[in-house]
Amino acid sequence: MTPILRLDGVSVTYRGEDGPHRAVVDANLTLRPGATLGLAGESGCGKTSLALAVLRLLPRSARVDGTILLDGHDIERLTWGELRAARWTSASVVFQGAMHALNPVRTVAEQIAEPIRLHSPERPAAARVRARVTELLEQVELPGARRDAYPHELSGGQRQRVMIAMALACDPRLIIADEPTTALDVVVQAQVLALLRRLVSERGIALLMISHDLSVLAASCRCLGVMYRGRLVEEGPARQLVATPEHEHTRALAAAFPTIGDEGSRYPGAGEPGESAGGVRGSLLAAEGVSVEFGDRYRNRVRAVRDVDLEVMGDEILALVGQSGSGKTTLARTLLGLCPPNAGTVYYEGRPLATSGRELRAFRGSVQLVLQDPTGALNPKHTVYEAVAEGLRVHGCADDEAVRVREALEAAELRPAEEFTARFPHELSGGQRQRVVIAGALVLRPRVLVADEPVASLDATVRGEILALLLRLRRERGLSALVITHDLGLAWNIADRVAVMRSGEIVETGPVERVLTEPRHDYTKELLAAVPSFEGSVS
Amino acid sequence: MSAPPNPTGAAGRRLAALAEGWRVYRADRGGLFGLAVLSLVVVLALLAPVLTPPAELDVTRAGGAPLRPPSAENWLGTDESGRSVLLLTWWGARMSLLVGLSAAVLSMLIGTVVGLVAAHFGGWVSTLLLRLTDFFLVLPALVLAIALSTVLSRGVLTIVLAIGVTSWPQTARLVRAQTLTVETRPYIERARALGGGHRHLLGKHVLPAVLPLVFATTTLTVASAIIAESTLSFLGLGDPAMISWGSMLKSAMDTGAVTAGAWWYLLPPGLGIAVVVLSFTLCGRVLETVLNPRLRGERR
């Protein structure tokens, strides 16, 4: 049987302003019909370049060396017309970010029909196209009634299904899925992965799936490959690669996706009270019966947070978990005093939150925010020093500014601090940027840190370092943290207590060990079941 | 021991950014041409009192015969009172530039403040300011300017005011849009969580991000302000005692220079307006591409 895809010594080189940049170096791969291969790696490791090279979709500045055989044909030798025919009929792509890959002004049925029309030799009958689209929609488990919907009327998971239906339209023998579930939350991710698994096994399609998340790949692919700095460093059956990783980078990737319930995945110090506790053990920041409503553009009232009670104690890390849209971020903003509650009260150290400017400002000195995307959270025009000193300047403590900035940078493990002060955010790596954001919060000597998805946009290896930093800050400074996340593994890694949120309500609260191993609420069970795990991987 | 802010490093980087901007600017020939012409015009206009005798502008002391074509003595001929048209054009540049620049600065100030406030505070403040902006946007600017200059006393200040008050809405709209974009950035949220007030947010984060755009637009506004000034002077709403390109054209009309075929009286101020406006537009366009890298590929 000829392999559907064979890569022989493939390198991708980009011409850049500062000389050529080798994105992929000497990659060798073989994919037989019906095989599933997962390519894992951090951002910038060249995995997307490799996938796009298969269909010659790379920009002009890229040069591809080596041979790529798609269905036995060297794709470099194909004429433009042959290449067009090969795209979608031999291999199709499920792009990252379904919202941007779909045309917002056409219905999904029209978009699914587009490749069918393009690849028919003569104009196909409208009724036949219609029937085929209905069939495709059925295959991806979308109700036929949604065929005339526009992309913005669909949820993220439904849009991703439309993308998959499009990829299937011309019966390709290979599907390349580039981060197909990255923007989705766990429950929807589990559904999309199950769908892909089913289609692959039913129709004998080969699947090349790309992700930064090893557990997602392990759950849907038989073979795994790990890329690091443009090279394929390790390749093998999923089970074996995850259980006994050989390359240290594979080990780092595997460690970033902890097995919930496994004591070894808990970071040292998690769940134990700190020794140098800053004092109080009682409630630091609390919400009582808090509700928040928004008016949407149709003047409907949307209740983002409903009657929530939540307490952050001194010297503890509390994880607030839930799907996207469950109101976690709104609740956090309310706790920070950035968004006034419609009902209920927020207490800090037992006193209701002030509404006047001066007292609110003093409060904000003690409760600090760390945002999800460190790139956006730093003003690109400010140096690291200015970014960290900003809080001090706002609060008018200018006397020992330089000393405190230095202390904060060192506390955030940016050492030596002098090396970083004059740099601009774009000169730092993602992990360093997040450390600067944390330093900017620490400089005010806060009591509570509210971290909204602090590691969601970071690479696997950096993720561990930032989480360890949060734990160390708690241990050494007694700094409490409210960590908002969709990632139950993160909660298992570092948190003492967990609060599970659904549609604006807290459905379950308790110690991490209890909630994540013996969940009581159905929703918690559902979330836990949706976490991709290595046990669930196809064998 | 303590870490200093290391000003040399940061300043050095800013200098480097400036040098990079200049490199991009230099690559555009039109922009360089505009800049060269503008520098020449500005230097000549500033040096006019030094290089030429102001007394020659006095009608009672004018030496030549009225409405003479160009000759060795008067290179660009003479006007109806026997004054040198070259001298008039030279001095007229001072007025055109002065009014153009100050009107553009005035419109920039109003536009920036209105745009920033409307976008930052939102709510009824925004509604009120936006309706006001819309009102000025749909009002025929020339009619309003004429009305203003008839109500107020005649003079340079009135013209500046009339142009400034009618040309700010575009800037306000632009600044508002840019402010709205900047305000969705997470670093604004972070600054708010740090306890920063409105002044801190606007001064430290929003204004620096919006200013480059404002400068680029202002350069373009200068061009239209110079045209507006000429128009108003031509319509006789300027200060009759001051010489400007618009008022030159008006007196050319009034004294029958057009019917007499005195092209040398009409062309210099007309070309002056065209060249200066074109130069400002060229500079403004290139400045836009320097500040907004996304435009670079398309314009080359």
Side-chain angles (χ1 to χ4, degrees):
Chain A
M1 206 159 43
T2 40
I4 175 86
L5 177 69
R6 218 177 113 194
L7 305 185
D8 234 353
V10 171
S11 297
V12 178
T13 315
Y14 286 98
R15 265 181 287 122
E17 275 179 24
D18 1 303
H21 166 69
R22 303 188 82 187
V24 180
V25 186
D26 196 24
N28 297 301
L29 272 182
T30 310
L31 211 59
R32 301 197 175 281
T36 49
L37 174 70
L39 267 185
E42 299 191 335
S43 51
C45 74
K47 53 192 195 301
T48 299
S49 294
L50 182 63
L52 293 184
V54 170
L55 284 177
R56 252 163 73 185
L57 288 169
L58 289 171
R60 276 160 189 274
S61 60
R63 203 186 73 228
V64 181
D65 297 308
T67 40
I68 301 174
L69 294 178
L70 182 63
D71 233 353
H73 303 290
D74 184 347
I75 69 133
E76 282 300 314
R77 297 240 177 87
L78 293 183
T79 62
W80 178 237
E82 287 166 339
L83 181 67
R84 272 190 56 205
R87 284 183 187 166
W88 240 255
T89 44
S90 304
S92 60
V93 186
V94 177
F95 289 101
Q96 190 173 354
M99 190 66 220
H100 303 294
L102 291 173
N103 186 339
V105 296
R106 301 182 69 196
T107 64
V108 296
E110 283 173 43
Q111 299 191 50
I112 297 172
E114 194 179 358
I116 305 174
R117 292 214 173 89
L118 282 174
H119 286 280
S120 310
E122 63 249 26
R123 213 184 146 74
R128 244 191 59 214
V129 173
R130 213 185 140 76
R132 175 77 180 132
V133 169
T134 314
E135 187 189 321
L136 285 166
L137 285 174
E138 263 167 32
Q139 278 176 4
V140 296
E141 293 155 21
L142 265 184
R146 305 302 286 157
R147 55 179 298 133
D148 293 321
Y150 288 91
H152 71 270
E153 296 171 321
L154 301 176
S155 69
Q158 285 174 324
R159 285 199 286 264
Q160 201 60 52
R161 283 162 201 269
V162 171
M163 288 296 293
I164 295 173
M166 275 174 84
L168 291 172
C170 296
D171 280 318
R173 299 178 57 210
L174 169 66
I175 291 184
I176 299 170
D178 186 2
E179 302 268 10
T181 58
T182 302
L184 308 177
D185 57 55
V186 272
V187 175
V188 185
Q189 167 175 294
Q191 290 163 357
V192 171
L193 289 180
L195 171 70
L196 269 176
R197 266 202 305 271
R198 182 174 65 76
L199 289 171
V200 164
S201 63
E202 273 177 19
R203 319 175 99 215
I205 302 173
L207 175 72
L208 176 60
M209 190 155 139
I210 297 163
S211 178
H212 66 283
D213 185 335
L214 204 59
S215 60
V216 163
L217 295 176
S220 37
C221 298
R222 213 165 288 161
C223 281
L224 289 185
V226 175
M227 282 188 79
Y228 182 58
R229 296 194 176 165
R231 284 172 202 278
L232 256 174
V233 292
E234 196 168 350
E235 215 190 326
R239 212 165 251 280
Q240 182 190 331
L241 193 121
V242 169
T244 52
E246 273 166 25
H247 195 269
E248 63 179 311
H249 188 66
T250 317
R251 242 171 274 153
L253 283 180
F257 301 98
T259 318
I260 292 167
D262 171 18
E263 272 305 316
S265 297
R266 291 279 269 172
Y267 281 37
E272 298 156 19
E275 287 143 26
S276 78
V280 266
R281 306 279 305 143
S283 157
L284 255 184
L285 188 61
E288 240 180 60
V290 164
S291 295
V292 184
E293 285 182 5
F294 290 118
D296 68 3
R297 61 177 67 218
Y298 307 109
R299 312 233 159 203
N300 294 325
R301 304 300 289 176
V302 177
R303 293 185 73 190
V305 176
R306 307 167 192 215
D307 196 21
V308 161
D309 298 315
L310 190 72
E311 248 183 335
V312 183
M313 313 294 250
D315 192 27
E316 80 160 355
I317 296 182
L318 172 65
L320 182 60
V321 296
Q323 280 177 267
S324 52
S326 60
K328 341 185 261 297
T329 298
T330 310
L331 177 59
R333 296 193 60 204
T334 311
L335 285 171
L336 282 162
L338 289 172
C339 169
N342 293 71
T345 325
V346 175
Y347 294 93
Y348 176 66
E349 288 186 323
R351 280 195 307 278
L353 208 56
T355 42
S356 74
R358 184 169 301 231
E359 284 172 61
L360 198 58
R361 181 172 293 193
F363 160 75
R364 283 184 182 155
S366 19
V367 180
Q368 275 298 315
L369 176 67
V370 173
L371 288 147
Q372 169 174 2
D373 171 19
T375 313
L378 294 171
N379 189 331
K381 292 192 170 130
H382 289 184
T383 60
V384 167
Y385 183 88
E386 285 169 300
V388 176
E390 189 177 353
L392 291 175
R393 289 178 187 164
V394 166
H395 289 270
C397 3
D399 315 342
D400 48 353
E401 191 181 277
V403 181
R404 284 180 69 170
V405 168
R406 189 190 137 96
E407 271 174 18
L409 282 171
E410 305 225 314
E413 292 168 356
L414 286 170
R415 295 195 191 93
E418 289 80 2
E419 212 174 275
F420 293 94
T421 45
R423 295 225 219 154
F424 283 93
H426 67 87
E427 300 167 328
L428 303 174
S429 70
Q432 285 172 334
R433 282 182 210 147
Q434 191 62 296
R435 286 173 198 275
V436 172
V437 174
I438 293 176
L442 289 180
V443 80
L444 290 171
R445 295 172 187 154
R447 304 281 302 281
V448 184
L449 214 54
V450 176
D452 189 354
E453 301 278 11
V455 293
S457 61
L458 302 178
D459 280 327
T461 40
V462 185
R463 173 188 186 274
E465 292 169 20
I466 297 286
L467 292 184
L469 171 64
L470 286 179
L471 259 181
R472 199 175 57 79
L473 289 172
R474 194 204 67 167
R475 203 169 56 238
E476 289 175 6
R477 305 187 161 208
L479 181 64
S480 297
L482 172 65
V483 181
I484 297 156
T485 181
H486 67 281
D487 178 1
L488 288 170
L490 189 158
W492 179 258
N493 277 149
I494 62 166
D496 303 309
R497 278 197 309 139
V498 174
V500 182
M501 197 162 180
R502 186 187 62 175
S503 328
E505 285 167 343
I506 302 256
V507 295
E508 189 165 1
T509 325
V512 170
E513 289 88 345
R514 211 266 303 139
V515 176
L516 294 189
T517 51
E518 307 154 34
R520 284 184 199 145
H521 196 276
D522 290 341
Y523 181 68
T524 317
K525 287 177 195 158
E526 197 185 319
L527 272 182
L528 275 167
V531 174
S533 64
F534 299 127
E535 276 89 63
S537 58
V538 276
S539 42
Chain B
M1 224 2 236
S2 66
N6 197 355
T8 50
R13 264 166 254 255
R14 269 165 202 152
L15 263 181
L18 221 61
E20 164 68 15
W22 171 237
R23 198 183 60 75
V24 177
Y25 191 101
R26 226 175 29 190
D28 192 298
R29 262 197 232 148
L32 274 187
F33 172 77
L35 194 65
V37 171
L38 275 187
S39 321
L40 187 73
V41 171
V42 168
V43 168
L44 283 180
L46 284 176
L47 292 181
V50 185
L51 296 179
T52 64
E56 303 250 324
L57 290 171
D58 194 334
V59 269
T60 56
R61 286 192 228 165
L67 283 183
R68 288 286 131 187
S71 63
E73 198 186 334
N74 287 312
W75 292 354
L76 291 178
T78 57
D79 75 341
E80 77 282 358
S81 319
R83 292 179 293 181
S84 159
V85 173
L86 175 65
L87 206 64
L88 287 174
T89 314
W90 194 333
W91 280 76
R94 288 166 67 88
M95 181 54 69
S96 291
L97 285 177
L98 177 72
V99 172
L101 283 173
S102 23
V105 167
L106 181 66
S107 113
M108 174 185 94
L109 285 179
I110 304 178
T112 310
V113 169
V114 169
L116 271 185
V117 169
H120 182 75
F121 292 99
W124 62 268
V125 179
S126 163
T127 316
L128 197 75
L129 286 175
L130 286 181
R131 288 300 86 78
L132 191 72
T133 313
D134 288 343
F135 173 74
F136 275 98
L137 205 58
V138 296
L139 212 63
L142 198 60
V143 177
L144 180 67
I146 291 171
L148 271 177
S149 29
T150 36
V151 173
L152 302 170
S153 67
R154 282 182 166 201
V156 183
L157 208 65
T158 308
I159 291 215
V160 168
L161 207 67
I163 299 173
V165 160
T166 51
S167 61
W168 60 268
Q170 285 88 350
T171 315
R173 279 276 173 189
L174 205 72
V175 168
R176 173 175 171 270
Q178 184 71 8
T179 307
L180 285 178
T181 333
V182 172
E183 293 226 332
T184 59
R185 303 276 160 80
Y187 60 78
I188 300 289
E189 174 103 355
R190 174 174 169 262
R192 212 170 258 152
L194 283 171
H198 297 301
R199 225 178 62 194
H200 176 84
L201 285 179
L202 288 177
K204 283 274 171 189
H205 294 285
V206 180
L207 198 58
V210 172
L211 267 190
L213 188 82
V214 171
F215 284 137
T217 349
T218 306
T219 322
L220 297 174
T221 316
V222 176
S224 55
I226 288 177
I227 293 187
E229 188 271 338
S230 308
T231 315
L232 290 178
S233 304
F234 179 74
L235 294 173
L237 298 163
D239 184 348
M242 303 293 282
I243 303 153
S244 84
W245 290 337
S247 67
M248 281 175 76
L249 288 171
K250 175 183 160 54
S251 36
M253 279 289 278
D254 287 350
T255 54
V258 181
T259 40
W263 52 267
W264 60 87
Y265 195 5
L266 291 166
L267 274 187
L271 284 179
I273 296 170
V275 166
V276 169
V277 167
L278 182 70
S279 307
F280 268 111
T281 314
L282 284 173
C283 289
R285 290 276 171 231
V286 183
L287 216 57
E288 266 187 336
T289 45
V290 170
L291 297 169
N292 187 353
R294 265 179 299 171
L295 294 174
R296 275 181 205 170
E298 300 157 26
R299 286 254 165 85
R300 286 227 181 114

